[in-house]
Amino acid sequence: MSEKNKQIQPSAIPELASVLVTRQQIAERVAQLAQELAEFYQGREVTIVQVLTGALIFVADLVRQMPLPLRIESVSVSSYRGTNTRPCQARFRLPPPEDLSGRDVLIVDDIYDSGQTMAVLIDAINQTRPASLRQCVLLQKDRPDLPARPGVDFVGFDIPDEFVVGYGLDYDGLYRNLPDIGVLNKELHEVQP
Ligand code: IMP
Ligand code: MG
């Protein structure tokens, strides 16, 4: 194999304890999700509200497989302080656009964890009176400690309660560019619980 074609092996990256979802699994599931969404929104125009920065890569792959009239808007919600791996109070860095009234809106995020980010977004977008509001995430974290979590409409993968990075997901701004999704090696990073 030439140097150019050699693939990155995330297992060789010391910051990753293990790979949880491979790039092949992601590609297959994203294609399925795009098909599910295209069928769901058939005959309608959809407005995607992507949650920056984590959803960036997922949205880029997803929308290119959705043959629909489609707009992309962006929001940014900060739910972490520094290097914590448990979310803190969610707040907008970039609020949703005010002109979503009458639109079929689909919020797309990288991961659903406590559900706080999604709750804040749903509340803010509902105030703009969309025709419909659905949510799609690539990953949904298993949180048996939060049985009342409302959940989302479209989910790529259910994963265990681990802090993961790659394919858009970061730790302290890093590792978004890893093509696979892996569990962060907490020992190496000495992250706070
Ligand atoms: P929630 O508000 O607790 O549902 O957290 C969702 C947000 O937290 C996502 O938009 C991510 O930005 C971030 N997040 C939650 N879990 C992880 C993770 O395991 N890795 C990276 N980011 C995460
Ligand atoms: Mg996020």
Side-chain angles (χ1 to χ4, degrees):
M1 192 185 289
S2 76
E3 200 60 38
K4 194 179 165 201
N5 292 330
K6 206 184 274 175
Q7 294 189 323
I8 300 165
Q9 295 298 321
S11 55
I13 296 172
E15 287 83 357
L16 290 187
S18 62
V19 173
L20 216 56
V21 194
T22 66
R23 66 199 74 181
Q24 291 85 357
Q25 290 169 323
I26 296 169
E28 281 170 25
R29 187 67 189 118
V30 171
Q32 285 172 357
L33 270 177
Q35 203 179 332
E36 283 174 38
L37 289 164
E39 282 167 19
F40 183 82
Y41 286 109
Q42 200 180 15
R44 291 190 276 167
E45 180 187 291
V46 58
T47 301
I48 295 214
V49 173
Q50 64 169 340
V51 188
L52 296 174
T53 304
L56 176 76
I57 295 172
F58 176 37
V59 167
D61 284 345
L62 191 69
V63 295
R64 285 179 294 169
Q65 301 179 74
M66 289 173 66
L68 294 171
L70 184 152
R71 298 170 197 268
I72 302 176
E73 304 283 1
S74 303
V75 292
S76 175
V77 185
S78 153
S79 53
Y80 286 100
R81 262 181 237 126
T83 52
N84 283 346
T85 55
R86 277 289 187 229
C88 309
Q89 186 64 41
R91 61 184 175 84
F92 283 114
R93 279 190 294 221
L94 176 65
E98 288 163 8
D99 57 350
L100 294 172
S101 88
R103 302 259 192 98
D104 288 306
V105 176
L106 177 69
I107 301 170
V108 181
D109 202 357
D110 50 2
I111 188 163
Y112 185 74
D113 185 359
S114 69
Q116 201 190 111
T117 303
M118 204 54 91
V120 165
L121 275 166
I122 289 170
D123 188 47
I125 292 173
N126 267 336
Q127 289 177 30
T128 73
R129 299 186 169 275
S132 68
L133 180 56
R134 298 281 191 278
Q135 313 94 42
C136 173
V137 295
L138 180 66
L139 308 172
Q140 176 168 254
K141 217 181 257 193
D142 184 31
R143 292 290 299 268
D145 57 317
L146 296 174
R149 207 174 47 156
V152 292
D153 300 294
F154 299 91
V155 175
F157 300 92
D158 285 294
I159 62 160
D161 187 10
E162 299 273 7
F163 194 82
V164 293
V165 294
Y167 196 72
L169 292 118
D170 75 306
Y171 171 70
D172 203 17
L174 292 171
Y175 315 118
R176 295 192 197 276
N177 55 323
L178 298 180
D180 306 282
I181 294 170
V183 177
L184 188 69
N185 188 339
K186 291 185 182 173
E187 279 171 27
L188 278 170
H189 264 293
E190 294 176 7
V191 293
Q192 298 155 34

